């Protein structure tokens, strides 16, 4: 055995068997992959806000476990409508996994007994439109909570138990709930709307598997079409696709092997791995055909192809893999999982490519004439000659266009803004988004918004002074249209005072000093206390909550709202304002967005530095390193500028684009510079070496960029906004990257007349053992042995 290409070719049957066994292994693990049932964990556990949120959950329960069901009332509502509504609530309450349902038919009603305590009853059902109007004005506790202020709709609050909420069991439960409510509305009139954090999670989890397989299959189909169009050979199209399909399977298997759950980010990996695996396949196929024409012998062409592209292909995959691995260095679990899986998936793609593609070539017959026509396609030849002419004689045009693109991109980048929403990537025309608008207009919002008030000592919440401050704060919060009606212990005491005075609506208010002890004692001795949606106060009466819903106003406006609320807290509680804290799922989610964006920016800088070091080691020149890195910053500037002009905000799904786009466009630079290095060492004239390298690699760089552009373009059809933006912006970066690597990079190499003397470059030289035509074809006996 004379070299490592011979080692690969002689062991082709071993590789095929090994890949088959490994694929079964990863298939078994892939079947165990589950879709995450929660919002992904981003905020570190030692973050003070996160610790306060976890304490809130321990004391008061889950704040994000309520499904909101909005019922628009039909024009005519009689006694029968309300009776059937009561039956609907009873059916919902009977579902396994539902902890509690709160609606008008079962809403608690306090009555004052002769024994001096409260009796818990339920609201009386209306019998007509007139009695409905009278009832909703009679019980101010529930206005804005169980019905809107105009009396045109009702709200059912369905609380899911914690065990069901955090498992996949919630999906059939929510499906059944939705099916029952829609059927009920179809029979009795009106319209129904759904929202709440569990419902949003359910909606995403239902679409995610469909999109995963859709885009994976679409990527494979696109790859087959692209390879067939270029090589005019079914075997050249089918076998690489089999290889990339296995790479996708291995990637999902790696997710299962680590025990990770499928998220919106990791769901992108299988199609992304397929798309990123296209360029090496195209390079190896094309180089195999070129060398076959030069040598006239299949085995010699495959061996030489491995010598020339084996290490270069490894460097391209290593560049992409290490770029992904920088995400593992962040302190965000989601990005760590994505980076780790993408790292191993990229390396698995390299191994599959280097093991299987040459083995397929060995098993298949020699290429026919029609398979080799792409090498002499007149349109391709004209294109690369024109590019070479521009690079050699009209570089000033290239520099002028580059300056213009940098200027345009920089001006657009100044308009960038960072903003994210909890329902960010959902389709804008989806019913769930329209339902969000309904709840925002009628009830103020659907996302949890919590305040926790802590007294100086146990029983401190029972003081009238604290209750008055609590009520005053709630009155201040009514001024914000972004917030729903708030609910606190003060509201329950107001309802208790109303019951104490015989149910008169005008008696709804805070107890007087002489009334408060009586009401508190009565509440403590009342069985089935009217606590709505979990506890509002702890057992020691030292910590209480003000619970509300907030509109999905985004990460840019939410801090402003919180700042205004904190100003109200300061004005209301004075010196004790530090004991009032804002918390809840919404606050933690938006804080997670900030962590994600910050860590992605850090990761991009780490990737940039890592690739720069790799370029220096590969080419041994600071100047070449700076040229190659500067060239590939142009696509990022244009992407940033486009986002600024189109008002596309920076958020996790768009910030990730910079990481991926930079790694992809650098691959083309490595391919060109590797070719330039080889030709310069044989003809040490920079202009000639650059132009010849353009002729040699230009067609492949253009074609692979085109295929990648189309491959990422399929994401445009995604129903998730972030995924759609990923497709558009990555395609744009690839288009600009094509200009950078075909025109700008060769122009700068010629202008600065920089030769390659890198240590790694010398290693490539030793591995290749001479030029493309230096290797002699093996004898027929040697070929038969292989």
């Amino acid at each position: 055995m004379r070299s490592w290409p011979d080692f690969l070719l002689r062991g082709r049957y071993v590789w095929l068997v090994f890949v088959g066994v490994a694929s079964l292994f990863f298939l078994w693990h892939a079947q165990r992959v589950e879709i995450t049932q929660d919002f992904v964990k981003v905020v570190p556990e030692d973050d003070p806000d996160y610790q306060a949120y976890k304490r809130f959950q321990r004391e008061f329960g889950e704040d994000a476990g309520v499904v909101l069901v909005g019922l628009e009332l039909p024009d005519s509502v009689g006694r029968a409508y309300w009776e059937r509504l009561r039956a609907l609530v009873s059916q919902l309450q009977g579902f396994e996994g539902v902890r509690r349902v709160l609606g008008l038919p079962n809403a608690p009603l306090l009555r004052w007994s002769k024994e001096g305590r409260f009796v818990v009853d339920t609201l009386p059902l209306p019998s007509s439109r007139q009695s409905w109007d009278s009832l909703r004005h009679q019980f101010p506790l529930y206005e804005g909570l169980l019905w809107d202020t105009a009396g045109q709709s009702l709200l059912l609050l369905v609380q899911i138990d914690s065990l069901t909420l955090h498992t996949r069991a919630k999906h059939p439960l929510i499906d059944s709930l939705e099916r029952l409510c829609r059927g009920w509305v179809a029979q009795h009139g009106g319209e129904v709307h759904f929202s709440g954090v569990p419902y949003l999670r359910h909606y995403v989890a239902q679409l995610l598997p469909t999109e995963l397989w859709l885009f994976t299959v679409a990527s494979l189909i696109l790859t087959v079409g692209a390879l067939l169009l270029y090589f005019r050979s079914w075997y050249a199209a089918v076998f690489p696709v089999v290889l990339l399909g296995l790479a996708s399977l291995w990637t999902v298997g790696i997710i299962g092997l680590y025990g990770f759950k499928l998220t919106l980010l990791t769901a992108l990996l299988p199609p992304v791995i397929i798309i990123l695996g296209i360029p090496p396949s195209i390079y190896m196929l094309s180089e195999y055909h070129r060398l076959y024409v030069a040598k006239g012998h299949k085995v010699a062409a495959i061996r030489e192809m491995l010598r020339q592209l084996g290490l270069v292909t490894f460097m391209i995959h290593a560049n992409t893999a290490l770029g992904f691995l920088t995400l593992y260095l962040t302190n965000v679990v989601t990005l760590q999982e994505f980076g780790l899986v993408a790292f191993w998936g990229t390396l698995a793609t390299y191994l599959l490519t280097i093991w299987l593609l040459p083995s397929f070539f060995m098993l298949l017959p020699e290429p026919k004439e029609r398979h080799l026509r792409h090498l002499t396609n007149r349109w391709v030849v004209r294109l690369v000659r024109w590019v070479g002419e521009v690079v050699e004689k009209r570089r000033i045009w290239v520099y002028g266009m580059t300056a213009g693109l940098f200027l345009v991109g920089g001006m657009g980048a100044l308009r960038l803004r960072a903003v994210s929403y909890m329902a960010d990537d959902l389709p804008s025309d989806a019913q769930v988004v329209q339902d969000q608008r309904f709840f925002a207009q009628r009830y103020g919002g659907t996302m949890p918004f919590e305040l926790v008030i802590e007294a100086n000592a146990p029983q401190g919440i029972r003081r009238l002074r604290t209750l008055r401050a609590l009520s005053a704060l709630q009155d201040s919060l009514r001024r914000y249209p972004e917030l729903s009606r708030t609910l606190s212990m003060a509201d329950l005491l107001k309802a208790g005072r109303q019951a104490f005075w015989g149910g008169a609506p005008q008696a709804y208010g805070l107890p007087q000093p002489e009334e408060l002890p009586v009401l508190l004692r009565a509440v403590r001795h009342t069985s089935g206390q009217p606590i709505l949606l979990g506890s509002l106060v702890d057992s020691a009466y030292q910590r209480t909550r003000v619970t509300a819903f907030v509109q999905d106003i985004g990460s840019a406006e939410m801090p402003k709202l919180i700042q205004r609320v904190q100003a109200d807290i300061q004005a209301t509680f004075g010196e004790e304002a530090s004991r009032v804290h804002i918390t809840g799922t919404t606050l933690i989610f938006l804080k997670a967005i900030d962590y994600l964006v910050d860590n992605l920016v850090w990761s991009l800088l780490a990737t940039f530095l890592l690739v720069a070091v790799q370029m220096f080691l590969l080419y041994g020149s600071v100047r070449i390193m700076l040229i190659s890195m500067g060239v590939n910053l142009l696509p990022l500037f244009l992407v940033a500028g486009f986002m600024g002009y189109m008002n596309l905000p920076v958020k996790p799904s768009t910030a990730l684009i910079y990481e991926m786009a930079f790694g992809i466009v650098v691959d083309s630079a490595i391919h060109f510079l590797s070719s330039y290095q080889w030709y310069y060492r044989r003809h040490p004239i920079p202009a000639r070496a650059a132009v010849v390298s353009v002729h040699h690699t230009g067609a492949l760089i253009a074609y692979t960029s085109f295929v990648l552009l189309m491959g990422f373009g399929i994401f445009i059809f995604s129903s998730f906004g972030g995924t759609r933006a990923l497709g558009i912006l990555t395609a744009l970066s690839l288009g600009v990257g094509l200009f950078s690597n075909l025109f700008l990079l060769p122009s700068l190499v010629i202008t600065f007349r920089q030769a390659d003397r890198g240590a790694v470059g010398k290693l490539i030289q030793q591995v290749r053992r001479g030029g493309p035509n230096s290797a002699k074809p093996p004898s027929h006996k040697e070929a038969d042995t292989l």
Side-chain angles (χ1 to χ4, degrees):
M1 189 176 298
R2 299 180 305 173
S3 62
W4 71 274
D6 292 326
F7 171 74
L8 285 177
L9 296 179
R10 290 177 186 273
R12 58 186 177 273
Y13 295 109
V14 176
W15 309 134
L16 291 174
V17 172
F18 175 79
V19 168
V21 174
S23 298
L24 292 176
F25 172 77
F26 284 117
L27 176 62
W28 183 76
H29 281 284
Q31 293 174 340
R32 302 169 58 193
V33 174
E34 295 183 4
I35 301 172
T36 181
Q37 306 301 323
D38 303 298
F39 284 121
V40 291
K41 183 179 177 181
V42 175
V43 181
E45 292 190 2
D46 58 353
D47 181 85
D49 287 334
Y50 185 75
Q51 290 179 340
Y53 173 64
K54 298 304 290 184
R55 181 182 179 185
F56 167 86
Q57 286 186 315
R58 290 193 300 268
E59 292 180 342
F60 301 108
E62 185 75 52
D63 68 322
V66 178
V67 176
L68 287 80
V69 181
L71 297 173
E72 293 191 60
L73 295 177
D75 295 333
S76 176
V77 287
R79 180 73 182 183
Y81 180 88
W82 301 106
E83 291 289 353
R84 289 163 185 162
L85 180 61
R86 174 180 285 171
L88 173 64
V89 171
S90 298
Q91 285 182 276
L92 293 174
Q93 185 70 65
F95 283 163
E96 183 178 357
V98 172
R99 181 182 178 188
R100 183 184 294 111
V101 179
L102 180 64
L104 184 148
N106 68 342
L109 170 63
L110 292 180
R111 297 187 187 277
W112 188 256
S113 69
K114 295 179 181 180
E115 291 79 12
R117 64 180 183 179
F118 290 117
V119 175
V120 181
D121 199 353
T122 57
L123 291 182
L125 291 180
S127 58
S128 64
R129 172 65 71 172
Q130 291 75 19
S131 63
W132 160 237
D133 291 335
S134 173
L135 181 143
R136 64 187 181 86
H137 289 108
Q138 188 177 354
F139 299 101
L141 173 64
Y142 295 116
E143 184 174 339
L145 181 65
L146 297 184
W147 53 77
D148 63 15
T149 54
Q152 298 299 315
S153 67
L154 301 172
L155 187 60
L156 303 180
L157 304 172
V158 183
Q159 188 178 26
I160 300 176
D161 65 49
S162 181
L163 181 62
T164 304
L165 184 66
H166 297 288
T167 63
R168 63 175 62 184
K170 73 169 174 281
H171 298 304
L173 170 61
I174 295 178
D175 281 334
S176 300
L177 182 153
E178 184 176 3
R179 187 164 51 250
L180 174 64
C181 292
R182 292 194 185 280
W184 189 90
V185 167
Q187 183 177 359
H188 302 294
E191 294 186 21
V192 64
H193 306 272
F194 299 91
S195 191
V197 174
Y199 188 79
L200 291 178
R201 293 174 178 172
H202 166 74
Y203 184 86
V204 171
Q206 296 300 98
L207 279 183
L208 192 59
T210 303
E211 294 232 339
L212 170 63
W213 293 112
L214 174 65
F215 287 117
T216 301
V217 172
S219 299
L220 290 172
I221 293 175
L222 178 67
T223 304
V224 171
L227 294 174
L228 187 61
L229 178 68
Y230 190 71
F231 293 105
R232 305 298 176 89
S233 168
W234 279 107
Y235 79 78
V238 172
F239 284 108
V241 169
V242 172
L243 183 154
L244 297 176
L246 290 175
S248 177
L249 172 64
W250 283 29
T251 302
V252 178
I254 291 170
I255 296 175
L257 188 62
Y258 274 106
F260 298 154
K261 292 187 177 182
L262 204 62
T263 66
L264 278 174
L265 283 179
T266 52
L268 294 175
L269 279 175
V272 166
I273 288 295
I274 289 175
I275 294 171
L276 295 180
I278 293 174
S281 299
I282 293 177
Y283 291 146
M284 296 184 79
L285 276 168
S286 182
E287 190 69 7
Y288 165 53
H289 287 171
R290 187 184 71 82
L291 290 169
Y292 176 78
V293 171
K295 297 179 178 298
H297 196 281
K298 181 176 74 171
V299 176
I302 296 173
R303 179 189 288 111
E304 190 61 30
M305 179 268 295
L306 287 173
R307 285 199 183 100
Q308 292 192 25
L309 294 184
L311 190 56
V312 174
T313 302
F314 173 76
M315 295 303 294
I316 289 175
H317 280 88
N319 166 64
T320 305
L322 291 175
F324 282 130
L325 191 60
T326 59
L327 295 173
Y328 187 74
L329 303 179
T330 66
N331 62 348
V332 177
V333 174
T334 307
L335 295 181
Q336 289 177 339
E337 292 180 1
F338 181 88
L340 190 61
V341 174
F343 171 78
W344 290 117
T346 305
L347 292 185
T349 305
Y350 168 74
L351 292 177
L352 288 170
T353 301
I354 210 70
W355 282 340
L356 296 188
L357 212 56
S359 300
F360 290 155
F361 295 160
M362 290 291 293
L363 295 175
L364 294 170
E366 296 181 349
K368 297 180 180 179
E369 182 181 355
R370 70 174 185 273
H371 303 154
L372 306 174
R373 290 175 186 169
H374 64 91
L375 298 174
T376 56
N377 186 289
R378 66 177 185 273
W379 297 105
V380 174
V381 172
R382 289 177 183 175
L383 172 65
V384 295
R385 284 181 178 174
W386 175 72
V387 172
E389 183 178 349
V390 171
V391 166
E392 187 175 16
K393 301 178 181 179
R394 296 178 175 84
R395 292 191 295 279
I396 190 66
W397 294 3
V398 176
Y399 298 147
M401 182 175 292
T402 301
L405 291 176
F406 268 113
L407 180 62
V408 170
M411 293 175 61
L414 295 177
R415 305 172 61 179
L416 275 177
R417 57 192 180 93
V419 58
S420 295
Y421 298 86
M422 288 193 74
D424 220 350
D425 293 330
L426 298 180
S428 58
D429 58 346
Q431 183 62 46
V432 65
V433 177
Q434 297 176 19
D435 288 348
Q436 290 273 93
R437 301 190 187 105
F438 165 82
F439 287 105
Q441 294 170 0
R442 299 290 183 93
Y443 297 96
T446 61
M447 303 300 169
F449 188 86
E450 302 284 348
L451 291 90
V452 176
I453 297 91
E454 183 174 2
N456 291 323
Q459 307 301 315
I461 299 299
R462 296 160 61 96
R463 293 185 304 169
L464 185 57
R465 176 186 173 187
T466 304
L467 292 172
R468 284 175 175 172
L470 195 59
S471 179
L473 177 60
Q474 290 182 262
D475 291 339
S476 298
L477 297 181
R478 287 179 182 271
R479 298 183 289 110
Y480 302 117
E482 302 94 338
L483 291 174
S484 72
R485 157 73 189 278
T486 60
L487 181 67
S488 75
M489 179 183 174
D491 294 301
L492 297 183
L493 288 174
K494 290 177 184 179
R497 184 175 187 270
Q498 179 182 0
F500 180 79
W501 291 105
Q506 59 270 24
Y508 182 83
L510 277 179
Q512 297 299 315
E514 65 275 10
E515 298 170 341
L516 182 59
V518 177
L519 295 179
L520 287 174
R521 185 167 53 252
V523 168
R524 187 169 64 250
H525 292 91
T526 299
S527 60
Q529 293 184 19
I531 301 300
L532 307 178
L533 295 179
S535 176
L536 292 174
V537 65
D538 67 356
S539 58
Y541 281 86
Q542 187 172 2
R543 286 169 58 87
T544 188
R545 69 192 282 200
V546 176
T547 183
F549 293 107
V550 65
Q551 294 180 22
D552 191 9
I553 59 178
S555 59
E557 294 299 322
M558 184 61 72
K560 300 177 184 177
L561 174 63
I562 291 176
Q563 187 176 11
R564 297 198 301 269
V565 172
Q566 287 175 334
D568 290 334
I569 293 172
Q570 182 65 45
T572 303
F573 285 86
E575 296 179 356
E576 297 182 350
S578 61
R579 294 183 173 274
V580 182
H581 306 283
I582 301 174
T583 187
T585 298
T586 305
L587 178 68
I588 297 302
F589 177 84
L590 295 177
K591 188 161 190 173
I593 297 300
D594 294 336
Y595 270 100
L596 275 174
V597 173
D598 291 344
N599 279 274
L600 283 171
V601 171
W602 185 92
S603 176
L604 179 62
L605 295 176
T607 300
F608 186 83
L609 178 63
L610 192 64
V611 173
V613 171
Q614 179 182 341
M615 287 293 188
F616 177 76
L617 293 175
L618 190 60
Y619 303 108
S621 166
V622 174
R623 185 175 296 180
I624 281 289
M625 178 189 74
L626 294 176
I627 288 173
S628 61
M629 300 306 291
V631 162
N632 288 290
L633 282 179
L634 178 59
L636 304 187
F637 263 86
L638 262 294
V639 168
F642 180 81
M643 289 177 62
Y645 290 125
M646 299 302 295
N647 292 320
L648 294 174
V650 177
K651 52 186 178 180
S653 55
T654 53
L656 187 63
I657 293 169
Y658 295 93
E659 182 91 22
M660 297 178 59
F662 181 71
I664 293 171
V665 295
V666 165
D667 291 347
S668 296
I670 292 176
H671 198 70
F672 169 81
L673 290 172
S674 297
S675 178
Y676 171 79
Q677 154 197 276
W678 190 90
Y679 282 106
Y680 184 86
R681 286 180 171 173
R682 283 146 188 80
H683 309 284
I685 303 174
R688 180 180 178 184
V691 171
V692 172
S693 297
V694 168
H695 291 169
H696 179 65
T697 64
L700 289 178
I701 291 176
Y703 184 68
T704 53
S705 297
F706 173 73
V707 173
L708 288 172
L709 187 149
M710 293 184 62
F712 278 101
I714 67 172
F715 291 113
I716 295 173
F717 301 102
S718 171
S719 56
F720 289 98
T723 309
R724 189 163 53 247
L726 176 68
I728 296 172
L729 297 177
T730 307
L732 173 65
S733 68
L734 288 169
V736 179
L738 179 61
F739 167 79
S740 297
N741 287 306
L742 273 189
F743 292 91
L744 182 58
L745 180 58
S747 298
L748 290 173
V749 168
I750 294 175
T751 298
F752 289 96
R753 300 180 180 274
Q754 179 62 47
D756 161 48
R757 298 182 180 88
V760 178
K762 295 177 181 178
L763 176 61
I764 293 177
Q765 171 71 11
Q766 295 173 4
V767 171
R768 289 179 176 176
R769 297 181 178 179
N773 299 314
S774 61
K776 297 180 180 180
S779 64
H780 291 292
K781 181 178 180 181
E782 183 181 6
D784 292 340
T785 303
L786 290 173

